[in-house]
Amino acid sequence: MTDAGGSAGPIGAARARYAPGTPCWVSLMAHGLTATQDFYGELFGWQFQPGPQQLGPYVRALLDGREVAGIGQLPPDRHLPVAWTPYLASDDVDTTAETVRLCGGTIGVGPLDASDAGRLAIGSDPSGAVFGVWQAAAHVGTTVVGVPGTPAWYELVTYETASVRKFYETVFGYEEEESVVSADFDYLTLHVAGRPVAGIHGVGTALPRDRGPHWTTYFEVADTDVALARVADLGGRVLGPAQDSAHGRVATVADPEGARFSLIQGPR
């Protein structure tokens, strides 16, 4: 992981268009849209605005009128895992989708237009980790970063970095930097134009069998311990105690439907 907010720009900054490969949006598909809005609204102080509706009921989460993330409703007959999915920016989602296929990944949704907001696809890497691809039009993506309630970092948790690094490098043009913390710590930081934007963490057999490889979103909070108590009060689950790291105080939680995400309080 890098510094919270370091991938996105100055504190409280509004974003212009994202460079290709940069995580630009994160979206959750849940079963109970209203209850999910209530949980995240109370936890992060989000307000909500409807649309676009191409994939069914969908709302955009706002902080002080600026877009942070999206929440959609799964159809009743779709028993899919409830999870936060990061979207990686592309200048041409159709070309990116074809490259995903050519490099051993799959495309499960799209490419398709989301009204005048942009064009998207949802796919998975060769290990099965799901991600989205976003070609911006009217909707750039997350427009405020560096403050509590906004995405701070994105991390792929997988078996080993060697098995997927070539895929992401080829599809999104990432530059790479290995983190040498110890001989058994397998971590790769992905860069766009010299800036860290995401990480790949190889955890080997420690990867939960019931989850498989997956992307994790870190949301910034003012106080991790206070946020953990709030998660529990709101019906979510704390999946492990908060831990101090070089990048801040971190903990992993799940919302009432089981969608996992991490909280990070930057160093003081």
Side-chain angles (χ1 to χ4, degrees):
M1 189 192 300
T2 189
D3 297 334
S7 66
I11 292 175
R15 282 303 309 239
R17 189 172 296 269
Y18 286 81
T22 308
C24 61
W25 187 246
V26 63
S27 191
L28 172 68
M29 297 300 289
H31 295 288
L33 185 56
T34 300
T36 300
Q37 289 180 75
D38 290 344
F39 174 83
Y40 287 100
E42 290 289 338
L43 180 61
F44 291 137
W46 290 349
Q47 303 87 41
F48 298 94
Q49 182 175 4
Q53 305 293 337
Q54 269 63 27
L55 299 178
Y58 192 87
V59 296
R60 288 162 288 159
L62 310 176
L63 272 178
D64 297 323
R66 292 190 285 180
E67 296 180 341
V68 176
I71 302 175
Q73 182 167 311
L74 287 166
D77 59 341
R78 297 295 297 275
H79 301 289
L80 298 173
V82 178
W84 281 100
T85 300
Y87 281 74
L88 309 175
S90 171
D91 286 340
D92 186 334
V93 70
D94 295 83
T95 298
T96 300
E98 184 59 26
T99 307
V100 166
R101 296 187 185 99
L102 291 172
C103 292
T106 60
I107 296 295
V109 176
L112 57 85
D113 290 325
S115 185
D116 62 349
R119 189 163 171 80
L120 68 88
I122 300 174
S124 58
D125 68 25
S127 72
V130 175
F131 60 89
V133 183
W134 181 252
Q135 179 182 336
H139 173 67
V140 172
T142 300
T143 56
V144 58
V145 296
V147 296
T150 61
W153 186 243
Y154 303 85
E155 190 169 275
L156 171 62
V157 182
T158 190
Y159 295 107
E160 57 179 3
T161 61
S163 63
V164 293
R165 63 188 300 171
K166 189 65 176 177
F167 171 84
Y168 286 99
E169 177 187 297
T170 302
V171 174
F172 295 105
Y174 292 126
E175 307 139 17
E176 303 170 352
E177 178 183 303
E178 294 188 44
S179 297
V180 184
V181 177
S182 64
D184 59 352
F185 186 72
D186 182 16
Y187 198 95
L188 191 67
T189 303
L190 304 175
H191 293 72
V192 171
R195 292 188 306 110
V197 298
I200 303 178
H201 189 188
V203 298
T205 56
L207 189 72
R209 289 192 176 187
D210 61 338
R211 297 205 67 206
H214 59 277
W215 279 90
T216 295
T217 300
Y218 289 73
F219 289 97
E220 186 164 337
V221 292
D223 187 310
T224 298
D225 297 279
V226 170
L228 289 182
R230 193 73 178 134
V231 166
D233 288 345
L234 293 168
R237 289 184 296 137
V238 177
L239 302 179
Q243 296 182 333
D244 291 314
S245 74
H247 309 291
R249 190 158 174 78
V250 180
T252 301
V253 300
D255 71 17
E257 287 198 14
R260 299 187 182 202
F261 56 99
S262 291
L263 305 172
I264 182 166
Q265 169 192 340
R268 291 180 175 176

